[in-house]
Amino acid sequence: MTSFSKKLRLLFFCTLICSGTVASASTLDPQAIQSPIFDAERLQLTAEYARRHYGATTAVLSKPQMIVVHFTMIPTREKSLDFFRPPRIDRQIRRDIAGGGEVNVSAHYLVDRDGSLYQVAAEDILCRHIIGFNHTAIGIENIAVDADDLTLSQLEANAALISRIVQRQASIRFLIGHHEYRDSTLPHYQLYREDDATYRFTDKVDPGPIFMTRLRTLLDDRYGIQLKK
Ligand SMILES: [Zn+2]
């Protein structure tokens, strides 16, 4: 082996270790279609984001304590994936949060309108989907343009997915809708962390109180799961 290829192997090994790219079976959902979007560049940018906002040293999401439900405000899965796939945030479209770092937004899961499920990141990778909580949150995005657009199939797919995440991740204690994230009177708020004083909350309406009430009721009735807000 030449010294150059030794260096290359070392670099590759370091990238794996430093970024936590090795997805184990316990971080992948067996019922999801795997559609990974994280490459070495995105992991590097995520590690930079984690360092700046949470004092972390890697892009690893360790012992997540909350699940956050969203909708995309984008009408189709294809367009949503196109939006999430680039490693760097579009500075024109997301001027509101572009100052917070280079890495693009994404959740871990996408739920299409017919309830079909796509996993774009393993559950041990930090995704940028909720200011102040990404260091401890697994994100689920539903394909919908507004709250009225969410379907019964999506509701049922969210509940089933959350029941499996809770089985895999014993550390999960909270479930919130993105619209609830700024409420400092709710128990999940104890997990808030933001080291960059210039980085502020943005207003969120997704997925809305009606969907979250129905989701919490379904989780309790069908799966016996109650998670704090
Ligand atoms: Zn959201």
Side-chain angles (χ1 to χ4, degrees), residues 55-67:
T57 53
T58 71
V60 172
L61 177 60
S62 175
K63 294 191 172 64
Q65 295 189 61
M66 64 194 283
I67 297 169

Side-chain angles (χ1 to χ4, degrees), residues 21-113:
T21 59
V22 186
S24 69
S26 63
T27 63
L28 299 177
D29 190 274
Q31 296 192 32
I33 298 160
Q34 295 300 318
S35 186
I37 59 172
F38 274 72
D39 58 8
E41 180 186 16
R42 194 184 193 112
L43 286 164
Q44 181 63 41
L45 295 171
T46 300
E48 285 170 21
Y49 184 95
R51 192 176 309 121
R52 174 168 162 188
H53 297 281
Y54 309 121
T57 53
T58 71
V60 172
L61 177 60
S62 175
K63 294 191 172 64
Q65 295 189 61
M66 64 194 283
I67 297 169
V68 184
V69 179
H70 308 258
F71 60 67
T72 54
M73 298 178 75
I74 298 171
T76 66
R77 170 172 52 84
E78 291 79 7
K79 284 184 178 162
S80 299
L81 278 169
D82 286 349
F83 185 73
F84 292 136
R85 197 174 286 113
R88 288 176 190 272
I89 198 160
D90 186 319
R91 292 191 157 271
Q92 290 306 312
I93 295 175
R94 294 311 305 266
R95 268 181 224 166
D96 54 339
I97 59 166
E102 282 288 314
V103 71
N104 196 8
V105 295
S106 81
H108 296 80
Y109 293 99
L110 254 65
V111 182
D112 206 347
R113 310 188 48 67

